[in-house]
Structures are given as structure tokens and as C-alpha cells.
Amino acid sequence: MGATMSRYPIELELHGRAVVVVGGGQVALRRTRGLVEAGARVTVVAPDVAGEFDELPVTVHRRRYRDGDLDGAWLAHAATDDPAVNAAVAAGAERRRIWCARADDAAASSAWTPAVARHGEVTVAVTAGGDPARASRLREAIAGALADGSLPLRRRRKRAGQAGSVALVGGGPGDPGLITVAGRRLLADADVVVADKLAPRELLSQLDPEVEVVDAGKSPHAHNLSQDQINALIVERARAGKLVVRLKGGDPYVFGRGGEEALACVRAGVPFQVVPGVTSAVAVPAYAGIPVTHRGVTQDFAVVSAHLDPTAPGAMADWDALAHGPGTLILLMAVAHLESVAAELVKRGRPARTPVAVIQDGTTPRQRVLTSTLERVAADAARHGVEPPAVVVVGDVVRLRAELARLRDQLVAA
Ligand SMILES: C[S@@+](CC[C@H](N)C(=O)[O-])C[C@H]1O[C@@H](n2cnc3c(N)ncnc32)[C@H](O)[C@@H]1O
């Protein structure tokens, strides 16, 4: 068969149909497994058959192939390590006008078995010029892309009246690679995406044009939509049969008001799921070279919202406990009140020299890191024009950033 001639791809319905596999080694085993999964009635012919065949619902003839074995078969696989036997099977198949896949010689085959990636009802079959290793590398890449949602795997349009649902998806702190596989997949399936300001915006540009994108644009200063309006919107779209992805920055349940949105869905009888995200509280320090715990330095950390001035009435955080308590303090939404937060911690007993890091726009190309101490951090941040969003890390773990950088430089220099 001419190598340049194009082949004709096709899927076969093998359920209940007889297929003969000649060969009893690992290649024959793989083929047999695939055929069994497709529901074929498989007969295996080989003098030596791998033990794994015993666990499969197949008929095994422990002998050499002989003419007549293919009678009644719809398809044959020649997968022995003896080219003469494979050629005899292929010739027998040709005489009976049935297709035969030869494992040893793609060019002499009348049928090829592709490398297959499956995802739900989608099947992608790959052949690569008779090079199985190349086909299987491609298959792995495609399977990964199907799983992480980077291929347009959108569901068929929903029928009218079909129930919609809401997924509260944590998008991670900004780097688009930090969304989870589950979150990415839901995003690829979404009919409507309602995105926060701090959600990874790059992912929005990859959505299908027909996906409705609502920019909820929530930030400390600009509320395009109120929380009540967002709750009403996601419930309304889900009731209209849409799959709504509420894409949030970091983790939906860490100062993300995800709990309120979940309650709104449950109260409205709308099915919802939550997909946790990589929170900025841990990931932003990590990208800046600061582990939030470190053996011998600290065993605990606390994540605190500092959006209220600690001295203002209504501030709920126990600053006394935080001044004496966890080894590492992670402060979110702290830029506006950095001066009074730092002063409060010092006043209540944290040493004024405690190291502090302020990381702005963490995990994004705009990331900036400022290191200082509790007594100086407010002035330093003001001088460098630090703006939200920023994560503030208070504690001795901050020193690890310089240590890591020093060791890395040494290695580069060596
Ligand atoms: C309303 S909270 C939401 C936190 C989010 N749910 C999470 O788990 O990361 C917003 C705050 O998170 C922090 N933040 C979120 N993304 C950030 C980033 N990329 N860099 C620095 N801080 C960030 C900032 O403190 C910001 O003010």
C-alpha cells in the first residue's frame, strides 16, 4: 500500500461482533483490552499467552494460528513477533475481505489502530505516519488539553427547560496557570462567566465568543455590581438553563464572599458546586520566595483581613492575639491601613524589628516585592507607591527570601 496514499479514518461498532487477535504478548494484550472495552467478542490465538489474558472475557486458543481462524470474524489483529505469521494472518484477512491491523508493519497493514484520547463523549484518534511513539506523545498532549479545558470542549447547547447550575470557581491569584484543572474545565464549558477584578483575566480572552462574560469588576474602590446584584444575576442565568461560572480571585471562600453566593444559590434552589482555588494568602508569598511556614522558624500562620482600621469600631480581628500569636501573619486588603495595623501590632507586643514583606500584584508580570520591618513598613510602602492588591507577610519567614536569593546567586556564580 502506498505510503503517501491517505487512509480513511472510521469508527467501528464492534459490540457483539467477532474479532480475532493473533498473538499473546503485550501488544496483543493492549489491542485485546481496547476491543473488549468496545464490546467485541474476542478470540485470541497464540501458543504462549500472557497471564493477564486470563482476567479478560475472551476465548483463548493456545496454539499456532491456522487458516480458518478468521472465519466469521469482522476484524483481525496480527500482533505476533513473527512477521511470517503476521503476513499469513494479513493474507487470510485479505482473502476474506476483512480488515487486518498488523502490529509489526504499518505499511503492510490494511487497518491502523490509532492512539486514542477520550473525554466524555469526545474521542480523538491519532495516527502519525506509522510511528506509534509519536502518535502516543500527541495523544498525551491532546488528552492533557482535553482535561484542562484548553480545547474548545463546549457542551452541546442546552435544550430549553434543562436545569442550569452555578460553579463558584477559584481562579488563583493571577497567574493563569494557577487555576485548577477542574476550574479550567468548567470555564471551557461555561455559558456565562461572571468574573471578579482579581480573577485571572487572561483566561477570559480564551473563551468562545458566544460565552457571555459579565465583568463584576469588584475592587475595594469600584463596585460595578453590588453583591446582591451578583447573587441575583447568577441565580437568574442558572434558572434560564445556563452553566454559570463565577470566576473569583484566589479561593472563593477566603474573603471572597463565595459563601454568600453559595447561600443565594441554595436559597433559590439552584444547583451549585464550589471549586477551591489557590489562595493569594499562600501563593503570593510563595512566588516572592517566602514559604509561609518553615521548620525551625514557625509552625503556624494566620490569614487576616485588614480592610478595617484596627482602631475603628466594628473591627473584628483580635489584634492582641495576633500580636502575640501565630509565627507568620498574612494580611490581605491591608494597604490602606498599613500604618495603623503595623502600629497596633507593635503596640501590643510584636517586636518593631519583625521582618515584613509587601507583595503587590503577586504571581503576575507586574509583581513587586518590598521588604521592611514592622516599624518602617508603612513609610516604605508609601515611598514606593505600593497599591492594592497586595499581600503583607509579617514574621521571620520573610528572611528566607534573601536566603533563597543568596543561595541561588551562589549557584549561578559557581
Ligand atoms: C477580597 S480579597 C480575596 C482573596 C482571594 N479570595 C484569595 O483567596 O486570594 C482580595 C485581597 O487578596 C489579596 N490578593 C489577591 N490577589 C492578589 C495578588 N495577585 N497579589 C497580591 N495580593 C493579592 C489582596 O490582599 C487583595 O486585597
Side-chain angles (χ1 to χ4, degrees):
M1 205 158 295
T4 54
M5 205 182 296
S6 67
R7 310 271 175 141
Y8 185 71
I10 196 165
E11 269 193 321
L12 301 179
E13 172 56 88
L14 289 180
H15 197 264
R17 298 189 207 265
V19 178
V20 175
V21 175
V22 183
Q26 290 305 308
V27 176
L29 183 64
R30 275 204 303 279
R31 301 277 189 271
T32 303
R33 285 203 169 113
L35 291 164
V36 167
E37 268 169 40
R41 273 192 300 116
V42 184
T43 302
V44 178
V45 183
D48 295 313
V49 172
E52 290 98 321
F53 281 94
D54 293 343
E55 291 147 28
L56 297 174
V58 298
T59 305
V60 178
H61 297 311
R62 284 187 167 74
R63 58 163 172 75
R64 291 184 65 80
Y65 165 76
R66 56 184 179 232
D67 203 29
D69 280 344
L70 300 184
D71 288 349
W74 290 74
L75 178 69
H77 278 274
T80 75
D81 51 12
D82 182 343
V85 174
N86 291 344
V89 177
E94 197 73 19
R95 276 199 303 280
R96 287 170 181 78
R97 298 181 170 222
I98 64 172
W99 305 106
C100 177
R102 269 184 78 163
D104 61 331
D105 187 348
S109 254
S110 63
W112 289 5
T113 45
V116 173
R118 290 185 202 278
H119 191 95
E121 61 202 3
V122 172
T123 301
V124 180
V126 183
T127 57
D131 178 347
R134 187 173 168 216
S136 102
R137 277 200 307 278
L138 265 167
R139 183 260 316 277
E140 288 310 310
I142 292 165
L146 285 169
D148 72 15
S150 51
L151 284 175
L153 196 62
R154 285 174 55 69
R155 291 179 180 168
R156 283 164 303 178
R157 304 306 305 165
K158 294 178 186 64
R159 293 184 304 277
Q162 194 168 329
S165 63
V166 172
L168 305 176
V169 173
D175 178 340
L178 291 181
I179 191 170
T180 63
V181 172
R184 190 78 167 73
R185 196 179 293 157
L186 279 162
L187 204 55
D189 280 349
D191 301 306
V192 181
V193 177
V194 183
D196 270 355
K197 180 157 184 284
L198 290 181
R201 316 290 289 188
E202 266 179 75
L203 296 175
L204 300 180
S205 60
Q206 296 166 17
L207 296 171
D208 272 11
E210 79 231 42
V211 176
E212 183 191 4
V213 179
V214 181
D215 199 339
K218 281 176 52 180
S219 78
H221 306 298
H223 290 258
N224 292 353
L225 287 179
S226 71
Q227 189 61 51
D228 284 346
Q229 284 172 320
I230 291 172
N231 295 353
L233 177 80
I234 59 179
V235 163
E236 185 271 320
R237 292 293 196 278
R239 280 184 169 154
K242 311 281 188 188
L243 169 57
V244 182
V245 165
R246 174 72 176 108
L247 184 65
K248 305 175 79 73
D251 181 275
Y253 285 174
V254 177
F255 307 130
R257 305 190 72 169
E260 292 165 49
E261 291 165 12
L263 284 169
C265 292
V266 173
R267 283 192 186 114
V270 164
F272 93 98
Q273 61 177 311
V274 62
V275 179
V278 171
T279 179
S280 66
V282 175
V284 165
Y287 265 45
I290 304 170
V292 295
T293 68
H294 190 69
R295 195 155 63 94
V297 178
T298 175
Q299 315 195 67
D300 55 357
F301 67 98
V303 181
V304 182
S305 165
H307 70 292
L308 292 177
D309 186 325
T311 58
M316 282 165 73
D318 183 346
W319 290 101
D320 213 33
L322 294 172
H324 297 102
T328 306
L329 268 186
I330 316 280
L331 307 172
L332 302 193
M333 297 172 273
V335 174
H337 303 298
L338 196 50
E339 187 172 354
S340 65
V341 166
E344 201 66 18
L345 288 171
V346 172
K347 191 174 94 189
R348 293 172 189 264
R350 280 253 169 180
R353 298 271 169 87
T354 306
V356 179
V358 183
I359 308 137
Q360 179 183 325
D361 291 316
T363 80
T364 76
R366 302 177 304 282
Q367 174 173 301
R368 292 167 71 201
V369 186
L370 169 87
T371 49
S372 182
T373 59
L374 262 186
E375 63 185 341
R376 293 199 338 249
V377 67
D380 285 349
R383 191 151 35 89
H384 287 92
V386 170
E387 286 184 7
V391 170
V392 177
V393 187
V394 180
D396 287 336
V397 285
V398 170
R399 290 190 222 280
L400 282 157
R401 173 180 158 79
E403 170 92 4
L404 279 170
R406 190 175 56 76
L407 289 173
R408 203 177 284 151
D409 289 350
Q410 274 177 9
L411 280 175
V412 173

